[in-house]
Amino acid sequence: MILRLGQVELFVTNLDKSKEFYVDVLGFTEVERTETNLYLRAADEFDKYSLILTEKETAALGSFSLRVSSPEYLEVLQKKHEEMGIETQYLPKGTHPGQGPVLRVAEPNGHPVEFYHSMEQIEVGGLDGGVDALPMRKSHLQNGIPPICIDHMNLRVKDVDKALEYWQAIGFSISEYVQDGEETFAAWTRAKTSTHDVALVKQEEAALHHFAYIVDGVAGVIRTADLLADAGYRDNIDYGPGRHGATNAFFLYITDPDGHRLEIYSGDYNRDTDLPPIGWTKEQYDKKGRLWWGPSVPDSFFKTTPVNKEWLKTPVQN
Ligand SMILES: [Fe+2]
C-alpha cells in the first residue's frame, strides 16, 4: 500500500538564494549539498531528507514522491499503471542519495510522481548503546521556525473527476470534496489518516499550486510570518495567516525566491480512511471553505464612519 507523501523535488534557479531562504530563514536542516542539489530535512523527520532543491535554468516542480509499504508493492503499482495504460520507468537504487529503487510515472494530468520504499533513516542509536537522541531532540541546533515534517501537495488539474479515478485506483481515500454542479471542483485525497497527501483543484492548466510543511501549532504559523518580515522577506508572505474551513487547518502561504508556494500548515484533523468523504457545495466552499474566518478582504472593510465636520464649529460645553 501507499503510506504517505515522502518528498518533493523543486527546480530552483539559484541554489544559494534558495539555501538562504529554506535553511537560514525557515530552519530546514541541510543534509547534503552537491554542485546542483541541496537535500533538506524538517525537524521531526526520520527520513534522511524530504525536500530536494535542484538547480536548473527554469523553476518548476521536479517531482513528488510517495512512500510504499514494501519493495514488492512497487511491482504491484507498476502492474496497476500498466493496466491503466500509464507508462512507468524504474530508477536504480541511489538515484537520490540514500534512497532505494524508484518507480516513476506521469499521472494522467502530467504531474511527475515517484514511488519508493527504502530511504536512509536518521541515526538514533542502537539497542546496545540505547537511544542517543530522536531526530526532534536537536532543538539546541535548530533555527528558524523550524518546519516539523512534510505534509501534502496541492495540484491543479483540468478534470478533477478524472484525476480522482486515478488516485482512487491506486488506493487513495477522499476526505473532503467540493461539488460544482455535475463536476467535482476540488478534492482532498490521502493515503494516511490526516486530511490529505494530495489535493486536486480544477484549473485549465495542470500546475503545482503549493506544497506544505507542518509547523508547531498556530504559534509556528505566526512565527513564520514574523521570521519572514523580520529577515527582509516580507514580500514573500503571500496569504494568511488564517484558518481553512475545509481541513480545519491553520495556514500561511509563502513563496520562495523562485515563486514556489509553500504552505505553512498546522492542525488539520485525522479521520479513518474508510469513512465517506465530506462534501461542500461550490457556494459553501467559496464562502467559508478556503477561509473559515470570513472572506479574505470583506466588502465591509471598505466601509468607513463619517467624520463630524461641524466639530470645530461646535461650542465647547462646560
Ligand atoms: Fe494546502
Side-chain angles (χ1 to χ4, degrees), residues 61-180:
L61 168 64
S63 64
F64 62 95
S65 306
L66 300 160
R67 181 157 189 268
V68 304
S69 53
S70 68
E72 293 74 33
Y73 198 72
L74 291 177
E75 292 163 32
V76 174
L77 273 177
Q78 186 181 26
K79 265 195 188 151
K80 277 192 188 188
H81 282 82
E82 277 169 10
E83 284 163 15
M84 288 188 278
I86 296 173
E87 205 181 318
T88 61
Q89 189 186 3
Y90 255 108
L91 306 181
K93 178 183 171 184
T95 301
H96 296 305
Q99 193 173 40
V102 168
L103 177 70
R104 177 179 275 185
V105 308
E107 58 80 72
N109 295 282
H111 284 291
V113 187
E114 292 183 347
F115 301 95
Y116 69 98
H117 170 66
S118 166
M119 168 60 87
E120 189 178 328
Q121 298 292 291
I122 294 307
E123 190 60 56
V124 295
L127 279 180
D128 293 343
V131 175
D132 175 29
L134 295 173
M136 53 289 284
R137 293 275 45 91
K138 302 280 183 191
S139 62
H140 61 300
L141 302 176
Q142 289 161 355
N143 66 323
I145 317 169
I148 287 178
C149 62
I150 194 166
D151 189 69
H152 66 259
M153 305 295 295
N154 185 301
L155 307 177
R156 298 293 140 119
V157 297
K158 188 169 184 179
D159 186 331
V160 175
D161 289 295
K162 273 200 175 153
L164 281 176
E165 274 177 35
Y166 169 79
W167 288 100
Q168 287 182 287
I170 61 168
F172 272 48
S173 149
I174 304 172
S175 61
E176 298 187 41
Y177 65 96
V178 179
Q179 195 68 27
D180 187 10

Side-chain angles (χ1 to χ4, degrees), residues 237-256:
I237 298 173
D238 182 38
Y239 174 43
R243 184 195 280 279
H244 288 308
T247 75
N248 193 46
F250 292 110
F251 69 88
L252 175 72
Y253 293 103
I254 65 178
T255 51
D256 80 359

Side-chain angles (χ1 to χ4, degrees), residues 56 84 109 169 235 283:
K56 297 264 187 190
M84 288 188 278
N109 295 282
D235 292 345
E283 193 184 22

